[in-house]
Amino acid sequence: MKIGVFDSGIGGRAVAKRLSELLPDAEIICVDDHEHVPYGSRPEEEIIQLTDTAIHPLIDAKCDAIVIACNTVTTVAITHLRTEYPDMNFVGIEPMVKPAATQTKSGVIAVLATPVTLASHSYKLLKETWAEGVIVLEPDTTSWASLIEAGKADEVPIEETVFQLIEQNVDIIVLACTHYHWLKERAVTEAGSRALVLEPSDAIGSRIISLLGSESV
Ligand code: DGL
């Protein structure tokens, strides 16, 4: 079974790494758009057009499913992709607002995402639907994807950010940009038992199994 993974940059590889552990027999092909990353502050129309061009190798490879391992692209472009390529199974990701809002005990959660994701209509809808009465903090992480892409993840102040969020009573932190999956270990270490760090790789694996059947992957 062939699974394509698309992201603007190396966030896709973090997701692919976990998928290859969950689905060891699947062939996983990763494609990114290194030339144009980051996408997270670009106009929506441009993100749609860049994605449509960059994703072609995966369409041509006749993947059984393509994971859009990018919150930003899922948010603004997945409807377009599904219309453009109606025979393809697209698996998108979205910020884990629902599980965070369901599990919080303090009533304060944090979502770490790109400016485009945070400003999107679909994210607003997620909050309205699932997080009514929950305080959602959204710290500015605009520079993080570029730093991580440039191999400078150690310059991202994740410990400081997690510390400040916990000071504000946050008990669930959602990594809603796949680039930030590379910061997960550091975030979890800093959070200790005070906050839970969520990201969607395992949920993507389950979605693929339910879509394609466990035997085929
Ligand atoms: N990895 C992408 C995401 O999940 C964002 C990185 C970018 O800004 O291109 O949103």
Side-chain angles (χ1 to χ4, degrees):
M1 195 54 52
K2 208 186 275 182
I3 298 167
V5 175
F6 177 73
D7 178 42
S8 54
I10 62 168
R13 267 174 264 162
V15 172
K17 184 167 168 277
R18 183 67 187 133
L19 288 182
S20 63
E21 290 163 6
L22 296 169
L23 314 166
D25 296 327
E27 180 187 350
I28 297 177
I29 309 173
C30 263
V31 165
D32 63 31
D33 188 7
H34 188 68
E35 199 183 326
H36 299 103
V37 67
Y39 279 13
S41 302
R42 293 178 186 270
E44 294 199 357
E45 271 313 311
E46 196 183 349
I47 294 170
I48 292 172
Q49 183 245 311
L50 288 172
T51 302
D52 208 341
T53 305
I55 209 165
H56 264 265
L58 295 179
I59 305 285
D60 294 345
K62 303 209 181 320
C63 294
D64 298 290
I66 295 178
V67 176
I68 302 298
C70 178
N71 294 262
T72 308
V73 170
T74 301
T75 296
V76 304
I78 202 155
T79 308
H80 167 88
L81 291 171
R82 288 188 170 130
T83 309
E84 191 78 9
Y85 308 102
D87 298 331
M88 179 55 71
N89 288 312
F90 286 103
V91 176
I93 53 174
E94 58 183 15
M96 297 175 79
V97 171
K98 182 183 175 186
T102 313
Q103 291 176 69
T104 181
K105 293 193 172 60
S106 66
V108 191
I109 67 172
V111 176
L112 309 186
T114 66
V116 166
T117 299
L118 293 177
S120 67
H121 175 69
S122 58
Y123 175 64
K124 279 197 192 90
L125 207 62
L126 268 183
K127 286 196 292 183
E128 277 165 27
T129 310
W130 303 111
E132 211 197 327
V134 172
I135 297 170
V136 185
L137 303 184
E138 295 154 356
D140 180 12
T141 62
T142 309
S143 63
W144 290 14
S146 301
L147 284 171
I148 294 163
E149 194 70 27
K152 296 178 182 166
D154 52 344
E155 290 178 27
V156 174
I158 184 72
E159 286 83 3
E160 198 184 315
T161 305
V162 167
F163 178 81
Q164 284 168 3
L165 292 171
I166 291 169
E167 288 280 280
Q168 293 170 85
N169 217 17
V170 166
D171 65 350
I172 315 264
I173 298 169
V174 178
L175 303 182
C177 169
T178 51
H179 278 66
Y180 309 166
H181 293 199
W182 294 112
L183 308 171
K184 184 177 179 183
E185 246 177 71
R186 285 167 58 196
V188 168
T189 303
E190 176 65 27
S193 59
R194 297 168 299 169
L196 190 65
V197 179
L198 298 181
E199 54 86 0
S201 303
D202 287 10
I204 298 170
S206 306
R207 175 79 188 113
I208 289 173
I209 290 169
S210 76
L211 196 68
L212 302 178
S214 59
E215 277 147 39
S216 56
V217 291

